[in-house]
Amino acid sequence: MDFSKAEAGKLKLAEEPYNLKKLVLEAIKIMNIQALIKGLDIHFHIDENIPPLLMFDANRLRQILLNLLGNAIKFTETGFVECKVTKLENSDTKSVKLRISIRDTGIGIAKESQEKIFDSFTQEDFSTTRRFGGTGLGLAICKQLLALMKSDLHLKSELNQGSEFYFDISLRIPEVDPQLKPTESQKNDLQLSGNHSNEMDGNSKILVVEDNPVNLGLMRNFIKRIFPEVKILEAQNGEEAIQVFLEESPSLILMDIQMPVMNGYDATKEIRKLPNGKNIPIIAVTAGIIAGEKEKCFQLGMDDYISKPVHKETLKQTLLKWL
C-alpha cells in the first residue's frame, strides 16, 4: 500500500518529462462526473507561462490531485471546485516553482481541527463523517507524497466558508538534446501547453444539435466568441446529428435532449455504436426539468452536462475541458 511504503521510506519517485497542463486536465476529467452528479462546476486556471514539459512523477502527482479534488467534491454541496496552477516568481532557467491549489465552496474546517485533519483517519467530527464520509488516508498520503517531492500541503479554511488546499513545488525543466527529435507524444504535449486557452486551430469542428433556432443562434455566437477559428456544424434533431457526424467527423458534440424526430438520448446511443463515435466528447445541453435526466445522460454515454440557459463562461470551461 502506498501509505505504508511512504511511511517506511520505501516509496520512490519516477521522474520523467510530462506535460503538466495535460495531467491537470486528465485529473479534472476523471473527477468531472462526480462533480456533475452533485451539480457542481469544476473551474480551472493554468498559468500560460509554465514550460511545456517538466520533470516529475506524473502518477504520483495525479494521485495527489485526484485525492484533493475528490475531497473537495465530497465536502461541497453547492457552488464549485477550482483547480489553479500558478507560476511563482522565484523560478529560474533550470526549474520552475509552482503553486497548485484546490479550492472549494464547501463546509470548511474549524480552526481547532485544521492541524489534525492531516493525520491518518482523523475526521472533522462524527456528524461530518456520517453525513459526507471521511477523507480516509487521502490527505495523509498527499502529505507523504509531497514530502518526497520536497513540498508540503497547506490549508486555508473557515467553517462554512469553504477550504483551499495548496502546495508549492519546484519542478526541473528537462534538458533537451538538440540532436534528438521529439516523439509524437512530446510534440502533442508541446502543442497542448503552447496554445493559449482560447485558441483553437481551424481543423476543429463543434457540432451543435438544437431544434430551437434562438438557442442555436446563442450557442453559435458564444462559440465564435470563444474560438473564432473553429468550424461550427449544426443539426436540428438527432437524425440530422448522426448524418452530420458521419459526413464531417466533428471534434465535439453539444447535444440537446428533447428534440423532434430523434431525441438526444437516441442520437447519442447511435453515435456511440459507430466506429469513430466511441471516443468523441458528447456534452448534454438541457433545461434539466425532467427528474433523473442528468443521470440518464451519463448512463447513455454522454461525457458532460450543461444546463440551460447556457452561460458563456460555463460553455467556455466545458469546451476547454474536452477539446
Side-chain angles (χ1 to χ4, degrees):
M1 185 177 182
D2 285 344
F3 183 70
S4 58
K5 285 183 180 179
E7 285 208 314
K10 296 179 180 179
L11 193 61
K12 304 295 182 184
L13 297 178
E15 292 188 349
E16 293 180 343
Y18 204 88
N19 185 297
L20 183 64
K21 179 176 180 179
K22 179 180 178 182
L23 181 133
V24 171
L25 293 178
E26 287 170 349
I28 289 173
K29 285 182 181 180
I30 290 170
M31 302 307 300
N32 192 53
I33 290 181
Q34 290 185 31
L36 288 168
I37 288 173
K38 294 188 70 175
L40 304 174
D41 292 324
I42 299 183
H43 300 165
F44 64 92
H45 173 78
I46 304 172
D47 196 318
E48 294 179 354
N49 295 314
I50 296 172
L53 294 176
L54 293 168
M55 296 292 294
F56 59 93
D57 188 323
N59 288 331
R60 298 305 178 188
L61 191 55
R62 185 185 295 108
Q63 185 178 2
I64 292 168
L65 291 177
L66 290 175
N67 267 316
L68 295 178
L69 285 168
N71 279 338
I73 293 168
K74 182 187 294 185
F75 291 98
T76 302
E77 291 191 301
T78 60
F80 63 87
V81 171
E82 179 187 63
C83 179
K84 191 173 183 179
V85 184
T86 307
K87 182 180 178 183
L88 301 179
E89 291 184 0
N90 51 343
S91 301
D92 55 44
T93 57
K94 294 185 177 181
S95 66
V96 59
K97 190 160 187 179
L98 306 172
R99 173 163 294 181
I100 300 177
S101 66
I102 306 294
R103 183 168 67 94
D104 64 61
T105 56
I107 60 173
I109 301 168
K111 294 289 185 185
E112 60 271 17
S113 301
Q114 291 184 18
E115 285 297 324
K116 62 183 180 181
I117 197 71
F118 295 108
D119 294 340
S120 314
F121 301 110
T122 297
Q123 303 307 322
E124 225 276 85
D125 61 35
F126 176 73
S127 62
T128 299
T129 305
R130 182 176 57 192
R131 184 178 175 192
F132 294 98
T135 60
L137 289 172
L139 292 178
I141 289 175
C142 289
K143 289 274 284 187
Q144 294 282 355
L145 291 175
L146 285 170
L148 289 174
M149 300 175 187
K150 297 181 173 58
S151 181
D152 195 12
L153 188 59
H154 302 279
L155 167 64
K156 296 179 186 175
S157 184
E158 291 185 25
L159 196 60
N160 300 318
Q161 297 295 318
S163 300
E164 179 182 6
F165 288 88
Y166 69 94
F167 56 93
D168 296 345
I169 188 168
S170 184
L171 302 179
R172 290 187 298 115
I173 300 171
E175 296 180 5
V176 180
D177 187 336
Q179 295 181 339
L180 296 177
K181 293 183 178 180
T183 65
E184 286 302 314
S185 174
Q186 289 171 330
K187 287 179 182 177
N188 291 337
D189 284 349
L190 287 165
Q191 185 179 21
L192 172 64
S193 184
N195 287 342
H196 291 292
S197 60
N198 63 342
E199 290 180 354
M200 191 67 57
D201 63 57
N203 295 322
S204 296
K205 304 174 186 177
I206 295 176
L207 171 57
V208 182
V209 188
E210 170 64 67
D211 65 311
N212 185 306
V214 175
N215 291 339
L216 183 61
L218 182 67
M219 296 278 279
R220 186 193 307 117
N221 289 336
F222 279 168
I223 294 169
K224 275 299 180 185
R225 286 159 64 186
I226 299 167
F227 299 126
E229 301 300 319
V230 78
K231 181 177 180 181
I232 300 174
L233 310 170
E234 299 176 4
Q236 295 185 354
N237 59 62
E239 283 190 358
E240 287 185 14
I242 295 169
Q243 189 62 37
V244 174
F245 176 80
L246 290 169
E247 294 173 357
E248 296 283 351
S249 297
S251 312
L252 177 144
I253 300 174
L254 293 165
M255 181 76 76
D256 187 23
I257 299 300
Q258 305 300 327
M259 296 180 292
V261 185
M262 178 184 285
N263 63 37
Y265 295 137
D266 292 337
T268 297
K269 286 192 289 185
E270 293 304 314
I271 289 171
R272 290 299 189 213
K273 293 176 185 177
L274 300 172
N276 57 341
K278 299 184 186 304
N279 297 318
I280 182 172
I282 301 179
I283 314 301
V285 184
T286 176
I289 58 175
I290 300 175
E293 188 170 71
K294 183 183 295 187
E295 291 75 12
K296 187 174 181 180
C297 289
F298 294 132
Q299 290 170 1
L300 293 176
M302 294 183 176
D303 298 288
D304 212 333
Y305 184 101
I306 300 177
S307 297
K308 294 180 181 178
V310 175
H311 298 284
K312 181 187 170 187
E313 188 59 32
T314 302
L315 179 62
K316 178 180 177 180
Q317 291 281 342
T318 304
L319 294 178
L320 287 172
K321 193 185 300 180
W322 293 102
L323 284 173

